């Protein structure tokens, strides 16, 4: 089991990475939260069906362990489900020494983290991710729920006590989830690490290549990128915004399609290609977007905006992005691989490029 320190201005905590290590979770809890009185496991239906009993068995040393099971998918990140979790915690009389375990993918991590951040004004939680995508979302302390007018618009910065990443839990992931998570791996390479990007292009030809040693390497590299950026800018006042590369349009697509209709990573893949188009249009770069899109297609990504979406509605959602200021769209762009920057992009240019993409998708 490897250990990586995640350092932020408010807190430093460990990330554990290994295979078939769930039985070691109690020792981690004793290290990071020795006075734990009660444990609440928040998970979803799919993870509970496969691993719920295994998690409860791993926590057998604790006398008071509760489990609350949420629906699988993005719809769980709603105010109604957030409220239901709070109600359950209150009914079970969780106290300030209770510990919440976020046992699932990015959706559960975001929701459980926000529950922990706001229950009794904040109790401890540990991230136990079960998806590839969660290598990104489980690190850095951004927790939130969705609103119909925008993704992750209601939330907080709240760091976990630890992240516990057992890659054995990834074995039963469907291909769609591998695809969604791999988009964030690609994103980390594009914004921070040219050598990692080249390694991905030469080594990972299909999603099945992302296993065993290659998976561990990719996870460590992706996590190290996220950790370095979070260390410099915990509250997204500066460079942390670079982690939103591909997300301005990606979140708009997710919202317009209806949360869960297109996966986060698949929407971000389209958003990254669009951001490269914008970078090229501003004259700073000459990204071979069609070549990169062909690489994306090897993994089954859709590379153009779904044809039923409307450019004006997408622009409106982009204007509501957290980086936007007074309805001006600010996007994360690239000067080249490893050199991101944030810039205001005029609405006319966005609409023109959206029109081109939508025409190509018809």
């Amino acid at each position: 089991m490897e250990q990586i320190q995640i350092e932020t201005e408010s807190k430093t905590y460990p990330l554990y990475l290994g295979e078939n290590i769930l039985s070691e979770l109690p020792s981690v809890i004793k290290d990071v939260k020795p006075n734990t009185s009660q444990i609440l496991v928040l998970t979803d239906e799919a993870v509970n069906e496969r691993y719920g009993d295994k998690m409860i068995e791993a926590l057998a040393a604790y006398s008071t362990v509760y489990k609350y099971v949420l629906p699988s998918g993005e719809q769980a990140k709603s105010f109604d489900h957030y409220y239901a979790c709070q109600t359950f915690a209150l009914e079970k009389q969780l106290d300030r020494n209770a510990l919440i375990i976020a046992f699932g993918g990015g959706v559960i991590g975001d929701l459980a983290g926000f529950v922990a951040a706001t229950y009794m004004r904040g109790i401890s939680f540990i991230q136990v991710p079960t998806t590839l995508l969660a290598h990104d979302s489980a690190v850095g302390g951004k927790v939130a729920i969705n609103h119909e007018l925008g993704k992750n618009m209601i939330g907080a910065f709240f760091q976990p006590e630890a992240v516990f990443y057992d890659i054995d839990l990834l074995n039963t992931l469907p291909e769609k989830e591998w695809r969604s998570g791999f988009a964030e791996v690609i994103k980390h390479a594009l914004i921070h690490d040219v050598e990692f990007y080249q390694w991905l292009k030469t080594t990972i030809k299909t999603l099945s290549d992302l296993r065993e040693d290659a998976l561990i390497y990719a996870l460590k590299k992706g996590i190290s990128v996220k950790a370095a950026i979070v260390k410099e800018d915990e509250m997204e006042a500066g460079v942390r915004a670079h982690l939103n590369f591909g997300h301005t349009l990606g979140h708009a697509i997710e919202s317009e399609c209806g949360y869960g209709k297109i996966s986060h990573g698949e929407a971000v893949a389209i958003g990254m290609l669009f951001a490269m188009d914008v970078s090229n249009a501003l004259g700073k770069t000459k990204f071979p977007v069609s070549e990169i899109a062909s690489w994306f297609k090897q993994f089954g990504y859709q590379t153009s905006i779904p044809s039923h979406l409307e450019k004006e509605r997408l622009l409106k959602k982009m204007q509501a992005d957290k980086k936007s200021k007074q309805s001006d769209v600010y996007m994360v762009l690239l000067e080249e691989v490893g050199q991101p920057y944030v810039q205001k992009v005029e609405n006319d240019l966005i609409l023109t490029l959206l029109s081109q993409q939508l025409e190509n998708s018809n």
Side-chain angles (χ1 to χ4, degrees), residues 56-71:
I56 297 302
E57 288 171 11
L59 298 173
Y62 289 90
S63 59
T64 309
V65 179
Y66 303 109
K67 181 173 64 175
Y68 187 82
V69 181
L70 292 136

Side-chain angles (χ1 to χ4, degrees), residues 95-198:
D95 60 31
R96 291 186 184 275
N97 289 322
L99 174 72
I100 289 178
I101 293 179
F103 188 40
V107 168
I108 290 297
D110 283 0
L111 172 65
F114 190 44
V115 171
T118 49
Y119 183 78
M120 290 190 172
R121 296 188 176 92
I123 63 173
S124 298
F125 83 111
I126 290 178
Q127 292 271 17
V128 182
T130 61
T131 66
L132 178 59
L133 179 64
H135 87 278
D136 176 75
S137 58
V139 175
K142 286 174 71 172
V143 297
I145 57 175
N146 297 331
H147 190 282
E148 62 181 8
L149 297 180
K151 183 169 179 174
N152 296 332
M153 297 302 283
I154 303 169
F157 292 95
F158 191 69
Q159 302 295 341
E161 300 300 318
V163 180
F164 189 85
Y165 211 142
D166 183 349
I167 65 168
D168 189 57
L169 301 174
L170 275 57
N171 288 334
T172 56
L173 285 179
E175 183 175 313
K176 182 176 182 179
E177 290 299 326
W178 282 100
R179 186 179 302 117
S180 183
F182 188 52
E184 293 285 1
V185 175
I186 294 171
K187 179 203 74 177
H188 286 136
L190 283 169
I191 66 172
H192 199 77
D193 194 326
V194 176
E195 290 184 5
F196 183 34
Y197 175 64
Q198 294 301 331

Side-chain angles (χ1 to χ4, degrees), residues 1-276:
M1 184 167 68
E2 299 189 43
Q3 183 174 336
I4 302 168
Q5 286 297 108
I6 309 299
E7 299 179 32
T8 71
E9 185 175 345
S10 67
K11 192 173 193 174
T12 296
Y13 54 93
L15 181 147
Y16 299 92
L17 176 63
E19 189 169 5
N20 198 22
I21 58 173
L22 193 60
S23 61
E24 299 183 48
L25 180 58
S27 64
V28 170
I29 294 173
K30 288 176 183 176
D31 285 342
V32 301
K33 182 70 174 174
N35 61 339
T36 297
S37 58
Q38 307 142 296
I39 295 176
L40 170 59
V41 179
L42 294 180
T43 189
D44 67 26
E45 293 168 342
V47 173
N48 183 57
E49 182 179 348
R50 297 184 180 100
Y51 303 115
D53 291 343
K54 189 175 181 180
M55 171 60 82
I56 297 302
E57 288 171 11
L59 298 173
Y62 289 90
S63 59
T64 309
V65 179
Y66 303 109
K67 181 173 64 175
Y68 187 82
V69 181
L70 292 136
S72 299
E74 194 75 26
Q75 66 268 25
K77 278 175 61 175
S78 69
F79 182 82
D80 287 344
H81 288 300
Y82 161 78
Y83 187 84
C85 291
Q86 295 283 7
T87 299
F88 185 84
L90 288 165
E91 288 175 345
K92 298 303 181 184
Q93 298 182 320
L94 266 62
D95 60 31
R96 291 186 184 275
N97 289 322
L99 174 72
I100 289 178
I101 293 179
F103 188 40
V107 168
I108 290 297
D110 283 0
L111 172 65
F114 190 44
V115 171
T118 49
Y119 183 78
M120 290 190 172
R121 296 188 176 92
I123 63 173
S124 298
F125 83 111
I126 290 178
Q127 292 271 17
V128 182
T130 61
T131 66
L132 178 59
L133 179 64
H135 87 278
D136 176 75
S137 58
V139 175
K142 286 174 71 172
V143 297
I145 57 175
N146 297 331
H147 190 282
E148 62 181 8
L149 297 180
K151 183 169 179 174
N152 296 332
M153 297 302 283
I154 303 169
F157 292 95
F158 191 69
Q159 302 295 341
E161 300 300 318
V163 180
F164 189 85
Y165 211 142
D166 183 349
I167 65 168
D168 189 57
L169 301 174
L170 275 57
N171 288 334
T172 56
L173 285 179
E175 183 175 313
K176 182 176 182 179
E177 290 299 326
W178 282 100
R179 186 179 302 117
S180 183
F182 188 52
E184 293 285 1
V185 175
I186 294 171
K187 179 203 74 177
H188 286 136
L190 283 169
I191 66 172
H192 199 77
D193 194 326
V194 176
E195 290 184 5
F196 183 34
Y197 175 64
Q198 294 301 331
W199 181 86
L200 289 173
K201 290 196 71 176
T202 57
T203 307
I204 310 300
K205 302 296 185 183
T206 68
L207 292 173
S208 61
D209 293 331
L210 202 63
R211 298 293 189 275
E212 299 175 347
D213 290 345
L215 175 59
I216 291 284
Y217 178 77
L219 285 171
K220 286 174 67 175
K221 294 293 286 187
I223 290 167
S224 68
V225 171
K226 181 73 176 280
I229 292 174
V230 168
K231 180 179 180 179
E232 186 175 347
D233 177 24
E234 179 180 6
M235 300 296 182
E236 204 170 40
V239 297
R240 186 166 182 172
H242 296 165
L243 291 164
N244 290 314
F245 178 63
H247 287 59
T248 305
L249 177 60
H251 280 169
I253 291 172
E254 284 185 87
S255 179
E256 282 299 287
C257 285
Y259 293 124
K261 297 294 175 60
I262 183 171
S263 77
H264 175 70
E266 290 170 313
V268 166
I270 298 170
M272 289 192 290
L273 294 171
F274 183 77
M276 292 181 207

